[in-house]
Structures are given as structure tokens and as C-alpha cells.
Amino acid sequence: MTVEGYLSAYFLALWWIIIVGGYVIAFATAIVGKEIADGTIEILLAQPISRTKIILGKFLACLFYLAILTFVTIGSTGLLALFYDVEIKTEGLLAVGFLGFLFFAFIAAFSLFLSVILKERGRVVILSVAFLIASHLLNALADLSETLKDFRFLSIFKYYNSMEALKTGNIPWSDALLFLGLSLLCLIASILIFRREDIAIV
């Protein structure tokens, strides 16, 4: 197995997804869900700030910390490669970092969207994790089943090809734009729903 293949299979496509994916789900579901669960949502909404700014401010904070996590992950991987004299393309690390950031941004936006609709943080966390697991299984099983192969496009992991990005150093712009578009769609929908709904303590 190549270095790129090892990094992709065992870290960037597995542990990185689990660790950072868990973080963004926890952060995004707390934007609305934690305020409701703690009974502070009414105090927050009583402040002289629009609901749009509340959602945007907290979501941008999520993206800020996500960017730091991505930078630390990619940077430390590159430094360790230099330390152990392992050859990895710098452009490959940058490409997978950029694609990974957009991938996690979509997970955060999707979790936020579910949180605004369902308002129960625990249930949203379960659904977000279930979505990730189901999407991963669909992508993996599509290689083994001709029937599932026709539905592989429904899996977000189809568009997160860390191995290819790491190996070639090329950013798959169609996949990157897909994640960006879906993230914006979920964020805009979350803002519209949050602005129009009466939010009460559950």
C-alpha cells in the first residue's frame, strides 16, 4: 500500500471523519438545540440581535474552529512526513484539506438544519450520526452490489475521495462545489425556518 493509500484508508477517510465529524455535529446541534435544552433560548431571542445574525454568528464560529482543526491536521501530517522522511505531495495535502473542510462544513450545516427543525439536540445528534454511517455504508457496499451502485450518488462519501486528492494534488472542483452548494442550501433553509418559527422551551 502506498503512503497516500495508507493515510487515506486509515486516517483521512476514517479517524479524521470520526473525530472532526463528531466535533462539528456536536457544535452545530448546540447552536439551537443546547439553548433550548438549557432553557436559555428565550433570553437569547430577547436580545437586540436578529435571528439571522444569531445563526450566522454561531455557524461561522463553527467554521472557524473547523478551519483550525483542518489546518492542524494537515499541517501536522506534513511535518510528520518530513520528520520521518516520507514523501507526500504538499499539494495533495492541501487538496484533501480543502475538500475535507467543505465536507465537514456540509455535515455541520446539515446538522444545524435538522436541529432547527427538530429542536431536540439528542435526537438530531443520533440522526446526523446515522446519516453519516448510512452514507458511508452505501458508498462501501456499492462496490459489492450492482443494485446499490446505481444509488451510490446518494452517498456524500462518493464525493469525498481523499485518496485521489492526496495522490494527484488536484482539487475535484465539481465535488467541492457540491459540498459548498449543499452547505449554503442547508444554512439558508435553517435561517429561514429559525426566523419564522416560534421557538419555545421544550
Side-chain angles (χ1 to χ4, degrees), residues 110-193:
F110 179 73
S111 298
L112 171 62
F113 174 67
L114 290 181
S115 182
V116 170
I117 293 177
L118 300 177
K119 303 180 185 66
E120 293 183 20
R121 190 184 182 193
R123 186 165 38 152
V124 174
V125 169
I126 292 174
L127 287 176
S128 297
V129 172
F131 169 74
L132 272 183
I133 294 174
S135 187
H136 189 276
L137 286 176
L138 175 59
N139 186 60
L141 294 176
D143 291 329
L144 306 175
S145 171
E146 289 296 327
T147 302
L148 290 178
K149 187 177 293 186
D150 295 333
F151 298 94
R152 190 173 193 169
F153 72 96
L154 295 174
S155 169
I156 59 173
F157 285 91
K158 176 185 184 300
Y159 312 100
Y160 173 67
N161 193 337
S162 57
M163 182 180 294
E164 186 67 20
L166 192 61
K167 184 177 180 180
T168 64
N170 296 323
I171 297 175
W173 288 108
S174 59
D175 299 337
L177 290 174
L178 175 66
F179 286 133
L180 179 60
L182 290 175
S183 299
L184 289 174
L185 183 63
C186 288
L187 178 59
I188 292 171
S190 300
I191 291 172
L192 292 176
I193 294 172

Side-chain angles (χ1 to χ4, degrees), residues 42-61:
E42 293 179 347
I43 298 175
L44 178 65
L45 296 180
Q47 302 303 310
I49 183 173
S50 69
R51 295 189 179 196
T52 298
K53 289 183 178 180
I54 291 174
I55 292 290
L56 280 179
K58 293 192 173 188
F59 187 75
L60 288 176

Side-chain angles (χ1 to χ4, degrees), residues 36-113:
I36 294 176
D38 292 346
T40 57
I41 188 67
E42 293 179 347
I43 298 175
L44 178 65
L45 296 180
Q47 302 303 310
I49 183 173
S50 69
R51 295 189 179 196
T52 298
K53 289 183 178 180
I54 291 174
I55 292 290
L56 280 179
K58 293 192 173 188
F59 187 75
L60 288 176
C62 177
L63 293 185
F64 174 75
Y65 290 115
L66 172 59
I68 293 177
L69 285 175
T70 303
F71 176 79
V72 169
T73 300
I74 299 303
S76 60
T77 302
L79 289 176
L80 286 173
L82 288 175
F83 183 79
Y84 288 102
D85 197 25
V86 176
E87 186 177 350
I88 301 178
K89 291 182 178 180
T90 302
E91 56 269 30
L93 284 173
L94 294 175
V96 76
F98 180 74
L99 184 63
F101 174 81
L102 292 178
F103 174 82
F104 291 122
F106 165 67
I107 295 174
F110 179 73
S111 298
L112 171 62
F113 174 67

